[in-house]
Amino acid sequence: NKLRDARHQYSKSVKFNNSIFDVWRNLISIDYELHEYDSMLVHSESAIELFPNQLSIYILNGAAHFELKNYQKAIESYEHAILIGSDNNRQMAEIYSYLGDTYYNMKDNAKSDSSYEKSLSLNPDNEYVLNNYSYYLALRAESLEKAGEMAKRANELKPDNSAFQDTYGWILYKLGKLEEAKTWIFNSLKNGGDERPVILEHYGDVLYNLGDIENAIIYWKKAKENGSDSELI
């Protein structure tokens, strides 16, 4: 797990011989693990010139652009990966999920939803897509029953995940099922969500709507103390 030392050796390797694909892939993957996205972008673009038909390099290049908020460039890379294609449905589902995330950040809800739908058609039990897609629907208060089914399935696939529990609780809140929402978001807090300001805020909102204003204010204050910049609070 000495990532910087490993990257140094891979960097030396490609200078001696730049024709070994796995060395480039490992080098770029380490850039990603180190959150050094500028380096990741440079290395992935070099690799694309050398290996223009390798799907995984376009995925990594798209990830670098995504992290640097170059969303249109990220989309171009992911779409190129789709054009190359793969018989591996799970891998293709991942690419569509990345497209969904990117379009969401561009505030293009229609294309984001469409990408998530394609991802789930290829891999219906990707818990992260189920969670993210359902949460974004909840934020827009759209298709809440469908969102609830997806969030419930995500929790079945990955129990005791605080983010997934909060998503399902928040959808129940939007559906007016306040007692159930309280239970799910409280469980989320017990599983580590008590350090995430948005979950603390959600719990405060549920308590407020149940008439427990005193405790709602306590949780809203906790959200602020944990870094929330929510205008509503």
Side-chain angles (χ1 to χ4, degrees):
N1 200 35
K2 297 179 180 178
L3 295 181
R4 292 190 183 280
D5 291 343
R7 185 173 64 172
H8 179 65
Q9 298 301 325
Y10 284 131
S11 296
K12 289 168 68 175
S13 177
V14 297
K15 288 176 183 176
F16 287 116
N17 180 357
N18 67 4
S19 66
I20 305 172
F21 173 70
D22 284 344
V23 175
W24 281 101
R25 183 171 53 191
N26 291 348
L27 175 61
I28 299 163
S29 297
I30 290 173
D31 287 333
Y32 184 74
E33 288 191 60
L34 292 172
H35 307 295
E36 294 188 4
Y37 305 118
D38 288 316
S39 177
M40 183 182 181
L41 187 60
V42 170
H43 288 147
S44 61
E45 289 182 346
S46 296
I48 283 172
E49 290 182 15
L50 294 164
F51 310 99
N53 295 316
Q54 286 288 350
L55 176 146
S56 61
I57 294 297
Y58 287 96
I59 297 173
L60 290 166
N61 181 257
H65 279 300
F66 178 85
E67 296 295 345
L68 292 168
K69 297 182 169 47
N70 304 326
Y71 296 130
Q72 187 56 48
K73 289 285 188 181
I75 286 168
E76 291 170 13
S77 294
Y78 293 141
E79 288 184 339
H80 202 110
I82 289 169
L83 283 175
I84 294 172
S86 169
D87 293 332
N88 186 328
N89 280 352
R90 286 182 177 273
Q91 187 174 42
M92 296 303 293
E94 287 291 335
I95 300 170
Y96 279 113
S97 77
Y98 301 149
L99 269 179
D101 294 342
T102 309
Y103 279 122
Y104 171 76
N105 279 277
M106 295 176 73
K107 304 188 188 309
D108 190 335
N109 293 332
K111 288 184 178 179
S112 177
D113 291 357
S114 174
S115 298
Y116 287 137
E117 292 285 354
K118 288 177 182 175
S119 179
L120 291 172
S121 72
L122 293 166
N123 181 12
D125 282 342
N126 184 318
E127 63 268 25
Y128 292 100
V129 177
L130 289 165
N131 177 75
N132 291 354
Y133 186 19
S134 61
Y135 186 68
Y136 297 150
L137 288 173
L139 289 177
R140 286 149 39 198
E142 294 179 10
S143 304
L144 290 175
E145 294 290 347
K146 175 181 177 178
E149 291 173 6
M150 290 192 293
K152 183 179 180 181
R153 180 59 181 155
N155 278 280
E156 290 170 352
L157 292 165
K158 197 173 183 69
D160 300 324
N161 180 294
S162 64
F164 292 6
Q165 289 172 322
D166 173 65
T167 294
Y168 189 42
W170 189 240
I171 293 167
L172 291 168
Y173 167 78
K174 291 277 189 173
L175 288 167
K177 300 176 181 180
L178 299 180
E179 290 292 349
E180 290 180 68
K182 178 182 176 182
T183 298
W184 277 91
I185 300 177
F186 181 72
N187 287 335
S188 171
L189 294 172
K190 287 196 300 182
N191 284 318
D194 57 343
E195 296 181 359
R196 294 186 57 193
V198 67
I199 298 177
L200 291 163
E201 181 180 359
H202 286 169
Y203 195 60
D205 293 349
V206 172
L207 293 175
Y208 177 82
N209 281 274
L210 284 168
D212 188 354
I213 296 172
E214 182 178 348
N215 281 312
I217 291 172
I218 289 172
Y219 278 91
W220 288 334
K221 286 181 176 178
K222 286 183 179 180
K224 292 289 285 183
E225 290 165 3
N226 278 269
S228 174
D229 58 359
S230 168
E231 292 181 7
L232 287 173
I233 290 181

